[in-house]
Amino acid sequence: MTSAKPSSKFGSVDVAARNWEAGFTVDDPGYGFFTRLRADGSGERGNLDRATGEFIGSPLNRWSLQDGKVVQDIRVSSGAYKRYRTWQSVNKVGDVRWVLEDDSSVYPDGSPGPYVTFKRVHPQLDRGDPPAATQRSAGGMVKGPQELVQAQRERLGRRSPL
């Protein structure tokens, strides 16, 4: 394990407000997983079909910069708990920012939520300014979870484990 380089911190909202592609999808010709963060605190996470340009995902409640870390308030359909994904920048090489990601959930009383907490280090590729907010359905989703799973199954040409 290595310690974070102080010079790699997300120093301002303008530095963090980008269109980030998860490093594990960069070489996939079919789709990419993106986290879109806008300077006004809005954003969304989801898959981009590279062939059609269609984005399938869900909006964030909000995101903010806290102590140099990006904190994403993830939308949870039931509202029974809060889910947060935090990125601590540990290194930056060119357009790639390596982040220590912490994903956790918490109930209103402060006890751990149902979402299993995990930490991992992985790359996020800066793909430039995020696109304007995507048109949403009445339920707030760009497309529903079942549509996302079906689209992934069709793309994979087999039954998805999702």
Side-chain angles (χ1 to χ4, degrees), residues 10-159:
F10 290 103
S12 69
V13 168
D14 290 336
V15 170
R18 307 296 289 164
N19 190 27
W20 298 102
E21 182 176 5
F24 57 86
T25 67
V26 171
D27 293 328
D28 187 322
Y31 80 101
F33 187 84
F34 285 81
T35 301
R36 297 169 167 177
L37 305 176
R38 293 182 194 82
D40 66 358
S42 69
E44 60 260 349
R45 300 165 22 94
N47 290 305
L48 175 70
D49 183 324
R50 295 186 201 280
T52 66
E54 181 180 28
F55 185 81
I56 304 169
S58 62
L60 298 172
N61 285 328
R62 290 204 52 75
W63 76 272
S64 61
L65 197 63
Q66 299 175 16
D67 297 323
K69 300 174 186 176
V70 170
V71 178
Q72 302 167 45
D73 183 345
I74 308 288
R75 184 166 290 183
V76 177
S77 60
S78 72
Y81 61 93
K82 292 278 193 175
R83 181 174 166 207
Y84 299 97
R85 181 164 285 189
T86 302
W87 288 350
Q88 176 185 351
S89 182
V90 295
N91 200 356
K92 183 178 183 305
V93 180
D95 289 338
V96 177
R97 189 174 291 270
W98 289 86
V99 299
L100 171 60
E101 184 175 79
D102 182 335
D103 199 344
S104 59
S105 63
V106 63
Y107 285 111
D109 67 3
S111 63
Y115 196 81
V116 177
T117 300
F118 72 85
K119 291 184 181 192
R120 66 180 178 179
V121 174
H122 68 95
Q124 292 288 332
L125 181 62
D126 182 350
R127 292 292 196 187
D129 290 329
T134 308
Q135 185 81 19
R136 302 197 202 302
S137 67
M141 299 289 284
V142 177
K143 280 203 172 185
Q146 293 303 335
E147 291 169 301
L148 173 59
V149 169
Q150 183 60 36
Q152 288 175 336
R153 285 179 178 158
E154 289 170 7
R155 183 186 68 77
L156 293 171
R158 59 178 167 78
R159 185 177 178 93

